[in-house]
Amino acid sequence: MVPPSRGEQRVSGREHAIAMTRLNVNGRLVEVNADPDTPLLWAIRDHVGLTGTKYGCGIAACGACTVHIDGQPIRSCATLLSAVSETQKIVTIEGLSPDGNHPIQRAWRELDVPQCGFCQSGMIMAAAALLAEKPQPTDADIDEAMTNICRCGTYNRVRAGIHAAVRGRTSG
Amino acid sequence: MNKIDRIRPSRRSLLKGAGALVVGFHLAPKGALAQAAATPAQTPEINAWVVVHPDDRIVLRMARSEMGQGTRTGLCQMIAEELHCDWSRIETEYVTPGQSLARNRAWGNFLTAGSQGIRQSQDYVRRGGAAARIMLIEAAASQWGVPAAECSARDSVVTHAPTGRTLRYGQLAAAAARLTPPNPVPLKDPREWTVIGQSKPRLDTAAKTTGALVYGADLKMPGMLVAVPRRCPVFGGRVKSFDAAAVRNRPGVRHVLAVGENAVAVVADTFWQAKTALDALPVEWDGGENARVSSATIDARLTEGLDAAEAFVGNSQGDARAAIAGAARKVEAVYSYPFQNHAPMEPMNATVVWTPQRCDVWCPTQNGEAALVAASQAAGLPQQQCDIHRMDLGGGFGRRTTHDWLADAVLIARQVPGVPIKTMWTREEDMVQGRYHPVTKCKLTAGLDANGEVTGLHMRISGQSILSFVFPNALQNGRDPVQFQGLNASGAESAIGYTFPNLLIDHAMRNTHVPPHFWRGVNHNQNAIYLECFLDEVAHATNQDPLALRRKLMANHPKHRAVLDAVAERIGWGGPLPAGVQGRGIAQQMGFGSYVAAAAEVSVSPRGELTIHRIVAATDCGVAVNPKQIEMQVEGSFVYGLSALLYGECTVKDGAIEQTNFDTYNVLRLAEMPKVETIVMPSGGFWGGVGEPTIMVAAPAVLNAIFAATGKRIRSVPLKDQDLRRA
């Protein structure tokens, strides 16, 4: 293939709506040079460069974009960059654990939960937040917290995975 | 850990490693296995499936695509079974359709649909593993100067039993590659299998738990720009005009483009800049005649077809019309099935670099070869100057077997030569520019004798043909044979499970301007509802048990009956209902080469709220390669099928699809998901698919259970539009 090259140079004077925002992402302070109306999702994906957080709907309906802000699960596609301050701790799937061994991630591997996997970053972030809030969630808790959409159909394994993560954590 | 070269699947990366053993088979044009061939890696050999690297890594080259269905793991089990290799060292690579084209279609069919990723590849992939094993043993025997018959292979090590000497596959690869491949290549007796049939963990799970897996939507390249397109919302319409100047000076915007006759696109530094500029772009569309079409006009056209004189015959036994005319009693009902969107979680996308000499595309596709054809046409370049670099799919379900989105991405990139352009659809575009589950209606008429026995059945389907839109050349004198999935008189793919004294199944083709497509389960989805729910109606109308009625008609269809019996037994058919359950329903169907049945337990609250308590599913897929993977596909099929049953409906207003996102096109969520019990009961001797079959029985089993619970017969889906309260 032909080596990719920049087709044009940026024309100056176009950045009138662009501003510098500082974010704390996965424990790192990063500067994002974007329109403050940009959803956090796109700041994370296109500016910070972390693509584990997915775009699925853009209207907070599917949960593929779920990240934690100060431990709370939020849908980053419907959270504006301007609404997040640098004192708030944003955690994405890449920062959930240092080595991919959060109890939810371990349980997900043990049970082979993902199918296509595109929704699973959001699923895992939602499940991890649930466990943080309720260490021993009931099925009703899981029903209420896990509203993410999966089209492949992993729901029953997501439920089993959450229960397995509880067992793994309490036994290990 | 499975490693896949996603970004640079070039020849060099595929063939790197001096002395690697490359074994493969030539597929004759009709797909028949012709001749084995093996050559050292440096020479331009043909048709390679298995590569053994000097460091003992085993690489399976995949023609099929992975979209969550587990084909990658299943294919590796095929190779490992015959190769006797170390399972922990197996990796896979996607071959490109360009590489296959350059080698006379060495890798055969790339299509990953119709639940055939395993069943249509198993023979030549297993032979690839077997040939490699034979050659590695031969190489070792030759080195030791002993008969090959005294040597055996296990876990990537060849052992000479009499002396206890061993050599690793990696040490033997270079010598083995120089040997003449065996011909013919014998395969193991299935009774000797130790890998096929095992619930091996998936090879690609880990990267899906850390965000590390790079999907097409995640691709980044130096200097890449992002394009967001929008087509005329009315299918068949065009762009009348657009005002590029209105958005050209917005931040990050680089280009505002026409895409063919019917679309526009904004190219910007980031997705969000392109998307918001596109939203602000004034566009005037010309929907033409199609702008007058609505769901009501389509429904009227389909209704007319239910009684039309002319129809294509799909299955005819005896004289059903005469039997019904002379029957003591008739039962008749009309059913309907709506348009539905595939809605994979990853919206359509493709990254393209186009120059006047070459076009490269990185994308998730279910058919690399079809993608190459689409790219070549849109690029204005011969296929030999194009290639498709596949990424794992964020869902497919049939949508990614067709490449309208890829063609548009190439048309965009052609206008920005040399620059990588990632074209990404919004969810809204994905919803309104889908390729939809076909819309049909069905009138079923049964003639009954004085004892309530069925003397004749006429099933008239009216509605859209997929083939007439997708592959018109595959029509048979105008008739679409795919229309009759699950209703065919015979065959190994999708035969009906009942014998009626007189039967007529025909199709009045009534196409619309809304493009139909293969949608996971395809025409089985409605055909199973039509036949399985209507048989339920006949059973109740004649005071027969729905299972007993079916079994009477299934004497000549033992495999269909076996799966039905299995679910009936497991759910306790005929026995007392568990607390909270109000009714049970059953259904069966054969499709994609497999026999499936489902039994459901439901309740309906006084306010009409449905709860599906439990579903039992049985699958006879002949050979079960990986029982755990099958369970996952069965569970997933229920989610897909129940989503369709509960919520799936696209409606048409002024020629355009009205549902634009998951708020208006809802899908099943975790809280609604019933407990699923899967019975995998492979009877052996054939290879059936598992990715789709269960979908077709999900809806009819639940609909029949709803009738048992409430006395309400639902003949039109989705249920969100229906009042389930007791009559």
Side-chain angles (χ1 to χ4, degrees):
Chain A
M1 64 162 277
V2 172
S5 64
R6 201 81 174 181
E8 295 174 14
Q9 290 304 307
R10 170 179 282 281
V11 179
S12 62
R14 284 185 180 178
E15 279 124 313
H16 58 274
I18 289 185
M20 192 68 83
T21 306
R22 297 185 108 199
L23 296 176
N24 180 334
V25 182
N26 299 332
R28 200 163 56 90
L29 269 185
V30 292
E31 293 190 335
V32 172
N33 199 17
D35 185 331
D37 285 343
T38 303
L40 179 60
L41 167 67
W42 295 105
I44 291 170
R45 284 179 59 82
D46 285 350
H47 296 269
V48 182
L50 298 173
T51 55
T53 307
K54 304 303 184 195
Y55 164 70
C57 69
I59 58 167
C62 80
C65 66
T66 303
V67 299
H68 298 172
I69 294 185
D70 291 338
Q72 295 298 309
I74 63 110
R75 295 198 167 168
S76 62
C77 74
T79 304
L80 296 187
L81 189 53
S82 59
V84 186
S85 79
E86 66 179 276
T87 60
Q88 293 177 296
K89 292 188 172 64
I90 300 166
V91 175
T92 71
I93 184 73
E94 291 91 346
L96 180 63
S97 63
D99 52 2
N101 276 326
H102 185 282
I104 290 287
Q105 290 170 310
R106 283 210 310 269
W108 251 234
R109 290 196 291 272
E110 279 161 27
L111 272 64
D112 264 347
V113 171
Q115 290 192 22
C116 89
F118 197 81
C119 72
Q120 293 296 328
S121 294
M123 282 283 184
I124 289 169
M125 295 307 284
L130 170 64
L131 274 201
E133 192 201 341
K134 294 181 177 170
Q136 310 255 356
T138 63
D139 277 333
D141 294 332
I142 294 171
D143 285 349
E144 193 184 342
M146 300 302 292
T147 57
N148 300 40
I149 293 176
C150 170
R151 292 288 282 155
C152 296
T154 62
Y155 294 138
N156 285 0
R157 270 160 217 272
V158 165
R159 185 190 301 281
I162 294 170
H163 288 311
V166 172
R167 284 197 303 274
R169 201 167 53 174
T170 49
S171 67
Chain B
M1 179 68 203
N2 201 47
K3 211 172 68 186
I4 302 140
D5 184 347
R6 289 198 178 73
I7 313 302
R8 291 172 288 101
S10 62
R11 259 189 67 80
R12 180 187 295 175
S13 69
L14 279 178
L15 301 180
K16 70 190 166 199
L21 170 62
V22 182
V23 177
F25 292 92
H26 177 71
L27 295 171
K30 283 181 182 171
L33 184 65
Q35 190 187 353
T39 49
Q42 288 80 1
T43 56
E45 88 304 313
I46 53 164
N47 304 326
W49 294 94
V50 185
V51 181
V52 179
H53 285 278
D55 65 356
D56 292 341
R57 282 181 302 125
I58 309 286
V59 177
L60 163 62
R61 293 169 169 174
M62 280 174 70
R64 313 286 177 174
S65 298
E66 178 62 47
M67 51 191 164
Q69 83 281 33
T71 292
R72 169 178 290 129
T73 306
L75 291 175
C76 284
Q77 288 182 255
M78 303 286 171
I79 284 288
E81 182 65 68
E82 295 290 348
L83 185 55
H84 295 190
C85 62
D86 178 353
W87 176 257
S88 68
R89 300 301 307 278
I90 287 195
E91 304 172 4
T92 62
E93 285 175 346
Y94 282 131
V95 291
T96 72
Q99 290 163 344
S100 192
L101 181 69
R103 303 185 202 182
N104 195 24
R105 286 196 84 211
W107 280 274
N109 196 347
F110 280 57
L111 177 65
T112 314
S115 299
Q116 62 180 349
I118 297 288
R119 62 192 176 115
Q120 301 293 350
S121 313
Q122 53 84 17
D123 186 77
Y124 47 71
V125 171
R126 282 193 293 150
R127 287 186 203 278
R133 183 197 73 238
I134 291 167
M135 293 160 77
L136 288 157
I137 289 176
E138 220 178 290
S142 164
Q143 195 166 323
W144 292 324
V146 301
E150 290 181 3
C151 304
S152 61
R154 189 177 169 185
D155 291 337
S156 297
V157 174
V158 179
T159 302
H160 180 236
T163 59
R165 282 175 293 183
T166 62
L167 282 168
R168 290 180 294 103
Y169 277 8
Q171 295 172 300
L172 294 165
R178 288 190 289 272
L179 297 173
T180 304
N183 186 22
V185 180
L187 292 176
K188 276 187 195 171
D189 187 306
R191 284 170 297 193
E192 297 168 22
W193 285 343
T194 58
V195 186
I196 296 173
Q198 301 301 306
S199 290
K200 290 283 185 192
R202 292 180 62 126
L203 295 169
D204 47 14
T205 293
K208 294 173 179 175
T209 64
T210 59
L213 182 60
V214 177
Y215 296 85
D218 303 329
L219 205 58
K220 285 181 245 178
M221 290 186 189
M224 185 179 83
L225 300 175
V226 180
V228 180
R230 183 165 295 159
R231 280 196 206 134
C232 179
V234 179
F235 304 104
R238 61 181 192 89
V239 178
K240 197 186 271 179
S241 67
F242 63 100
D243 181 10
V247 302
R248 193 170 277 138
N249 291 324
R250 291 173 64 96
V253 171
R254 303 302 191 100
H255 308 276
V256 183
L257 305 172
V259 187
E261 299 266 293
N262 67 346
V264 295
V266 174
V267 182
D269 291 344
T270 69
F271 173 88
W272 191 250
Q273 290 168 333
K275 192 255 184 205
T276 48
L278 182 67
D279 287 344
L281 178 69
V283 186
E284 203 180 341
W285 307 106
D286 176 8
E289 288 289 303
N290 291 338
R292 290 208 285 271
V293 177
S294 68
S295 286
T297 65
I298 291 170
D299 188 75
R301 188 166 152 66
L302 266 56
T303 300
E304 175 273 322
L306 292 175
D307 297 307
E310 298 288 320
F312 296 110
V313 174
N315 190 348
S316 179
Q317 316 282 328
D319 189 339
R321 288 183 193 278
I324 292 165
R329 187 180 161 198
K330 280 197 290 186
V331 178
E332 186 169 286
V334 174
Y335 285 73
S336 64
Y337 197 95
F339 293 118
Q340 291 165 335
N341 191 303
H342 300 84
M345 288 312 296
E346 180 189 19
M348 299 300 112
N349 67 83
T351 300
V352 183
V353 181
W354 184 94
T355 69
Q357 293 79 37
R358 184 153 181 90
C359 180
D360 282 278
V361 181
W362 290 258
C363 68
T365 170
Q366 289 177 250
N367 189 348
E369 289 186 312
L372 181 62
V373 171
S376 163
Q377 287 170 355
L381 291 167
Q383 287 182 42
Q384 287 76 6
Q385 286 166 246
C386 304
D387 213 348
I388 306 296
H389 311 284
R390 286 178 291 158
M391 321 283 292
D392 280 6
L393 287 70
F397 314 120
R399 180 65 179 94
R400 288 186 160 106
T401 61
T402 186
H403 298 92
D404 53 296
W405 44 272
L406 188 155
D408 280 4
V410 173
L411 292 178
I412 292 167
R414 265 183 91 161
Q415 300 179 65
V416 196
V419 178
I421 305 290
K422 177 160 71 175
T423 293
M424 290 185 67
W425 285 22
T426 61
R427 173 60 62 191
E428 287 78 7
E429 190 73 357
D430 209 281
M431 282 286 175
V432 303
Q433 294 296 337
R435 294 290 181 266
Y436 298 85
H437 193 298
V439 65
T440 58
K441 293 174 85 85
C442 185
K443 178 184 276 189
L444 298 107
T445 312
L448 309 172
D449 67 16
N451 297 323
E453 302 298 330
V454 179
T455 57
L457 176 70
H458 180 200
M459 187 170 171
R460 162 60 63 86
I461 301 162
S462 171
Q464 263 184 314
S465 148
I466 298 172
L467 285 195
S468 66
F469 180 80
V470 180
F471 300 123
N473 291 341
L475 294 175
Q476 300 169 344
N477 296 320
R479 170 183 173 276
D480 180 350
V482 178
Q483 203 81 40
F484 303 99
Q485 283 181 310
L487 305 173
N488 293 301
S490 59
E493 185 73 10
S494 65
I496 194 168
Y498 306 106
T499 301
F500 297 97
N502 298 282
L503 174 69
L504 174 61
I505 301 174
D506 55 9
H507 172 224
M509 193 183 291
R510 294 293 181 272
N511 292 325
T512 83
H513 79 299
V514 177
H517 201 68
F518 303 97
W519 192 101
R520 194 178 184 186
V522 197
N523 288 310
H524 282 288
N525 295 326
Q526 73 272 15
N527 289 346
I529 290 178
Y530 298 159
L531 183 58
E532 288 298 304
C533 291
F534 184 70
L535 279 181
D536 223 63
E537 293 202 49
V538 171
H540 288 283
T542 56
N543 292 317
Q544 299 186 71
D545 175 80
L547 174 64
L549 169 71
R550 283 179 173 80
R551 295 189 87 254
K552 267 196 298 195
L553 300 167
M554 297 176 89
N556 301 328
H557 310 272
K559 285 192 164 69
H560 292 79
R561 196 175 61 192
V563 288
L564 187 67
D565 284 346
V567 297
E569 186 188 344
R570 175 70 70 86
I571 204 136
W573 186 263
L577 297 173
V581 172
Q582 297 166 343
R584 291 191 180 115
I586 49 169
Q588 66 79 27
Q589 179 99 336
M590 178 202 185
F592 309 99
S594 289
Y595 302 83
V596 295
E601 290 181 339
V602 309
S603 64
V604 177
S605 76
R607 287 163 52 193
E609 297 152 331
L610 172 71
T611 301
I612 306 167
H613 297 261
R614 177 189 179 208
I615 286 194
V616 175
T619 299
D620 177 3
C621 50
V623 175
V625 175
N626 186 319
K628 192 170 82 171
Q629 296 285 329
I630 295 171
E631 285 178 23
M632 291 179 193
Q633 287 304 299
V634 168
E635 288 169 17
S637 292
F638 278 120
V639 174
Y640 212 71
L642 295 177
S643 280
L645 171 66
L646 266 60
Y647 302 112
E649 180 183 40
C650 298
T651 53
V652 179
K653 186 183 177 191
D654 300 331
I657 295 294
E658 291 190 274
Q659 290 69 24
T660 57
N661 208 318
F662 288 118
D663 53 348
T664 43
Y665 188 78
N666 199 6
V667 298
L668 191 84
R669 311 295 171 117
L670 181 144
E672 300 162 293
M673 184 61 193
K675 186 181 166 201
V676 175
E677 295 166 45
T678 304
I679 305 167
V680 182
M681 43 187 288
S683 59
F686 64 97
W687 295 75
V690 295
E692 295 167 273
T694 300
I695 294 175
M696 56 207 190
V697 288
V702 171
L703 287 168
N704 289 339
I706 290 172
F707 179 82
T710 66
K712 274 207 147 174
R713 181 61 65 181
I714 306 298
R715 301 188 182 93
S716 176
V717 297
L719 294 178
K720 73 179 174 67
D721 300 334
Q722 303 295 326
D723 180 357
L724 299 187
R725 286 175 296 183
R726 282 164 194 76

